[in-house]
């Protein structure tokens, strides 16, 4: 190993930025200077955005059989080519899972896991997880006052406050006085701060857009999380939550008269909406509308996949789409430029199980902070 004294500082940084997270985690032990460099916020941010840190597909596949669950997180190569079955690098797998609900993210390479007992944390309702560093951080329970309703539903969002450099988790709990009734008047909100390792209940007027739809990936941008919340005539409505001010907001999406289906997503560094009319094999058309800085919307992509019955699951590299084939329960990648369909090699359990498709970049972000007093490091 070449010592630090033999390398100019700028050359050392340039070399380390090109290395994968796994190597950098090991290199923190070389010397104090390397440790300080690799764990510095500036280096972590530069490494995350470096051109060598390619975005890859991370597939979470949950299957259920004989009343037991198994789950596998598979990372695909940075380049997927026609005729070559992509190698599935298993980053985490358990054959028998005691409990699991969902996974959301990523934000800066971090995921939010719901019902996280499969990480050997029996009491963890929620947890933060960095697959690259294998750090796992169980969150304390969310505390809401008891409500005189029959049932409730939870929605979660992971975000980052750039001013305080604090990762936050938003929990929206909707109480139901009867299934499908009273939803718009019984919403309660709490925010978790990783810096403080605690929840805070918010006294805020929840906006009228209470029915928040699941996005494609984490629709978090510049400290604000966004949801598609429904439509007013032909105009999509978007609800937002600012992680810094901890306030909700509303705005209008694009005017798309003929769209019957929509999912909020990110397209590069812009908020975007994927719209279309799935369920029409060989003739479905999907459009991606991106929001400009001034708030207007522009159509940036139009895809008409010539494939059998399918359902859109994700967009990769801004123009390639991931589809779930209805009849065969397969995941495929569709390239609109070449019109090629590539089987990603996954057989999904669509009857009892569930799957998630993420655009993922490795990250050095540390969940456990230097001033954390919780007993042991949490790794999986």
């Amino acid at each position: 190993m070449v010592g630090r004294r033999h390398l100019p500082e700028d050359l050392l940084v340039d070399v380390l930025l090109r290395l994968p997270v796994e190597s950098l985690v090991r290199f923190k032990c070389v010397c104090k200077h390397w440790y300080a460099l690799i764990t510095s916020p500036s280096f972590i941010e530069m490494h995350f955005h470096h051109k060598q840190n390619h975005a890859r597909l991370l597939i979470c596949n949950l299957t259920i059989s004989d009343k037991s669950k198994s789950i596998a997180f598979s990372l695909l190569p940075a380049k997927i080519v026609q005729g070559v079955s992509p190698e599935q690098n298993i980053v985490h797998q358990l054959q028998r899972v005691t409990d699991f609900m969902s996974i959301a993210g990523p934000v800066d390479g971090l995921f939010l896991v719901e019902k996280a007992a499969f990480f050997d944390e029996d009491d963890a309702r929620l947890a933060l997880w960095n697959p690259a560093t294998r750090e796992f951080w169980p969150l304390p329970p969310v505390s809401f006052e008891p409500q005189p309703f029959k049932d409730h539903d939870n929605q979660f969002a992971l975000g980052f406050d750039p001013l305080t450099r604090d990762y936050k988790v938003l929990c929206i709990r909707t109480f139901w006085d009867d299934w499908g009734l009273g939803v718009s008047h019984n919403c309660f909100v709490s925010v978790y701060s990783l810096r403080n390792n605690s929840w805070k209940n918010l006294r805020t007027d929840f906006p009228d857009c209470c029915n928040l739809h699941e996005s494609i990936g984490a629709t978090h941008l510049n400290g604000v999380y966004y949801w598609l919340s429904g439509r007013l005539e032909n105009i999509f409505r978007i609800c937002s939550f600012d992680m810094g001010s901890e306030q909700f907001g509303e705005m209008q999406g694009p005017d798309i008269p003929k769209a019957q289906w929509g999912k909020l997503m990110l397209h590069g560094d812009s908020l975007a909406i994927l719209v279309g009319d799935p369920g029409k094999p060989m003739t479905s058309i999907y459009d991606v509308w991106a929001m400009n800085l001034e708030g207007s919307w522009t159509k940036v992509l139009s895809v008409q996949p010539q494939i059998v019955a399918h359902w859109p699951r994700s967009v990769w590299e801004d123009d390639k789409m991931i589809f779930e084939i209805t009849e065969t329960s397969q995941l495929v990648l569709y390239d609109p430029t070449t019109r090629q369909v590539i089987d990603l090699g996954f057989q999904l359990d669509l009857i009892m199980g569930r799957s998630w498709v993420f655009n993922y970049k490795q990250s050095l972000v540390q969940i456990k902070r230097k001033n954390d007093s919780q007993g042991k490091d949490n790794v999986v």
Side-chain angles (χ1 to χ4, degrees), residues 75 179 300 329 335:
L75 189 62
W179 191 255
V300 295
S329 302
D335 188 333

Side-chain angles (χ1 to χ4, degrees), residues 28-49:
K28 288 193 298 184
C29 301
V30 170
C31 63
K32 291 182 178 180
H33 177 73
W34 282 33
Y35 178 88
L37 173 62
I38 294 171
T39 59
S40 66
S42 59
F43 183 88
I44 291 173
E45 184 174 358
M46 286 191 297
H47 182 270
F48 184 76
H49 295 289

Side-chain angles (χ1 to χ4, degrees), residues 96-130:
R96 298 188 65 85
V97 180
T98 57
D99 205 357
F100 181 78
M101 288 293 292
S102 67
I103 180 170
V107 173
D108 296 342
L110 302 184
F111 288 92
L112 177 68
V113 182
E114 182 186 6
K115 279 291 186 74
F118 74 99
F119 281 102
D120 299 326
E121 294 287 343
D122 293 336
D123 297 327
R125 167 69 177 180
L126 294 170
L128 295 175
W129 178 44
N130 185 333

Side-chain angles (χ1 to χ4, degrees), residues 319-330:
D319 63 345
K320 301 175 181 63
M321 294 190 66
I322 310 297
F323 291 107
E324 175 187 301
I325 303 300
T326 305
E327 184 176 351
T328 60
S329 302
Q330 294 171 287

Side-chain angles (χ1 to χ4, degrees), residues 249-289:
E250 288 186 77
M251 64 181 185
Q252 290 186 349
D255 184 354
I256 310 173
K258 297 182 180 180
Q260 299 179 4
W261 173 91
K263 283 277 191 180
L264 208 61
M265 56 174 282
L266 296 182
H267 185 269
D269 294 327
S270 300
L271 190 65
I273 299 179
L274 172 67
V275 297
D277 189 6
K280 294 183 178 181
M282 315 304 289
T283 61
S284 297
I285 299 177
Y286 301 94
D287 296 325
V288 175
W289 291 76

Side-chain angles (χ1 to χ4, degrees), residues 42-225:
S42 59
F43 183 88
I44 291 173
E45 184 174 358
M46 286 191 297
H47 182 270
F48 184 76
H49 295 289
H50 196 273
K51 61 182 179 181
Q52 293 293 111
N53 190 20
H54 301 286
R56 299 163 69 179
L57 288 173
L58 179 68
I59 314 295
C60 171
N61 192 16
L62 174 68
T63 58
I64 303 176
S65 61
D66 299 329
K67 298 182 179 180
S68 66
K69 300 180 181 180
S70 62
I71 190 167
F73 295 87
S74 304
L75 189 62
L76 301 189
K79 294 295 182 183
I80 299 176
V81 296
Q82 177 71 21
V84 179
S85 181
E87 180 184 359
Q88 300 178 15
N89 178 22
I90 306 296
V91 297
H92 191 70
Q93 182 177 30
L94 282 178
Q95 296 301 326
R96 298 188 65 85
V97 180
T98 57
D99 205 357
F100 181 78
M101 288 293 292
S102 67
I103 180 170
V107 173
D108 296 342
L110 302 184
F111 288 92
L112 177 68
V113 182
E114 182 186 6
K115 279 291 186 74
F118 74 99
F119 281 102
D120 299 326
E121 294 287 343
D122 293 336
D123 297 327
R125 167 69 177 180
L126 294 170
L128 295 175
W129 178 44
N130 185 333
T133 63
R134 300 176 61 241
E135 268 193 298
F136 178 79
W137 184 257
L139 275 57
V142 187
S143 176
F144 287 105
E145 293 294 330
Q147 301 294 324
F149 302 112
K150 291 184 178 180
D151 206 348
H152 67 269
D153 182 36
N154 291 317
Q155 289 181 287
F156 302 101
L158 172 62
F160 179 70
D161 178 3
L163 184 62
T164 62
R165 304 195 64 83
D166 188 14
Y167 288 93
K168 295 184 177 182
V169 176
L170 177 70
C171 175
I172 303 171
R173 179 164 295 179
T174 306
F175 289 94
W176 309 74
D177 54 5
D178 199 356
W179 191 255
L181 299 177
V183 61
S184 62
H185 304 290
N186 308 311
C187 295
F188 296 81
V189 180
S190 189
V191 177
Y192 169 81
S193 162
L194 179 60
R195 178 185 296 272
N196 300 325
N197 191 32
S198 63
W199 290 91
K200 176 176 64 177
N201 293 343
L202 298 185
R203 297 182 179 275
T204 179
D205 292 331
F206 197 80
D208 293 335
C209 54
C210 190
N211 186 21
L212 307 179
H213 302 301
E214 185 178 1
S215 303
I216 295 178
T219 40
H220 172 268
L221 193 64
N222 300 326
V224 180
Y225 202 98

